[in-house]
Amino acid sequence: MLYLIEPHNYDVYRDDLDNMYRFRHRIFFDKLNWDVNSHDDMEKDEYDEKETYYLIYKDEEGIIRGCVRFIEMTNNCMFDGPFKDALPNVDEFKRQGYWEITRFAVDTNPEYYKVSGNRNIAKIIWAGIIKFAIKSKRVECYMATTYLAFKKLSARYGLLIYDVNKKVFDGSQMFVWGFSSLKYSWEK
């Protein structure tokens, strides 16, 4: 089941948010060895819970198996911090309707897939991101800094992606990409 957590309901979803931070710690800190803020086995940074939206995917037992964070770029976001050099002119993108996607994570534990048979978590989360854009009528463009594999996965789900820039971060080539006019993506 997919859940949308919005700024006005953080307190309702407090346990889920804390479990999501633990999940992100396992994925980004433990598994991928990223240099992220992690304390008490929770990966949380200065962009969390400040006009931030989250989608979390929970399995039938209530365990978080996937998540994503998105922030409208008029707010402080990673393009103002660690990815500030990723865009040639970040001010061009700091406007209403432009949203940053970060912390997209999916549980890849083979034991879970053997039991559940569910291999569609990434697709379900992407559908949720698109649904948010359509229902809220607030999203003109999503922006992300990702590895090539994530970009290819997104394109496979039918998103019309355009490259904005390429950068090397910590020795890995990363792509800044966007997809806009969600209406156009659905029409194609």
Side-chain angles (χ1 to χ4, degrees):
M1 176 73 69
L2 196 62
Y3 297 87
L4 173 65
I5 302 174
E6 303 175 78
H8 70 85
N9 63 15
Y10 292 157
D11 55 337
V12 173
Y13 288 99
R14 173 55 39 213
D15 288 343
D16 288 327
L17 283 167
D18 289 344
N19 287 329
M20 178 195 66
Y21 297 135
R22 287 182 190 93
F23 174 76
R24 286 179 10 187
H25 171 85
R26 287 192 307 274
I27 299 296
F28 299 121
F29 187 82
D30 290 341
K31 184 175 181 182
L32 297 174
N33 295 313
W34 285 8
D35 183 18
V36 292
N37 294 328
S38 198
H39 184 67
D40 294 330
D41 292 334
M42 290 194 221
E43 188 277 310
K44 186 175 180 180
D45 63 23
E46 65 267 30
Y47 310 106
D48 283 307
E49 297 187 46
K50 294 180 180 154
E51 294 304 311
T52 309
Y53 292 72
Y54 305 91
L55 285 173
I56 59 168
Y57 178 85
K58 294 179 7 179
D59 68 13
E60 54 284 340
E61 295 174 9
I63 298 169
I64 294 177
R65 300 293 181 178
C67 66
V68 67
R69 168 177 81 183
F70 41 111
I71 305 167
E72 191 164 21
M73 290 180 63
T74 54
N75 299 303
N76 195 27
C77 65
M78 292 186 76
F79 285 114
D80 298 308
F83 296 146
K84 67 179 176 239
D85 295 328
L87 291 170
N89 183 5
V90 72
D91 292 337
E92 199 177 304
F93 301 94
K94 299 290 283 179
R95 58 183 178 194
Q96 285 187 323
Y98 278 61
W99 291 71
E100 173 192 78
I101 296 175
T102 54
R103 298 306 196 258
F104 191 108
V106 173
D107 189 347
T108 57
N109 181 343
E111 293 304 313
Y112 168 69
Y113 292 111
K114 279 184 201 173
V115 173
S116 73
N118 186 356
R119 294 195 172 269
N120 295 314
I121 297 171
K123 190 183 292 186
I124 292 166
I125 293 173
W126 267 120
I129 291 169
I130 293 168
K131 184 177 179 179
F132 172 79
I134 292 169
K135 287 186 86 172
S136 73
K137 298 182 172 131
R138 295 175 51 199
V139 180
E140 182 181 336
C141 178
Y142 282 118
M143 304 286 295
T145 301
T146 65
Y147 297 107
L148 180 60
F150 186 78
K151 182 181 164 209
K152 286 180 178 179
L153 174 73
S154 304
R156 188 172 64 192
Y157 293 146
L159 301 173
L160 300 173
I161 294 173
Y162 64 91
D163 288 329
V164 177
N165 202 12
K166 290 181 191 175
K167 278 297 218 189
V168 174
F169 291 101
D170 296 327
S172 297
Q173 187 171 33
M174 303 289 282
F175 294 82
V176 180
W177 57 266
F179 64 99
S180 67
S181 185
L182 295 166
K183 182 176 179 234
Y184 180 76
S185 292
W186 280 107
E187 289 173 353
K188 291 293 170 190

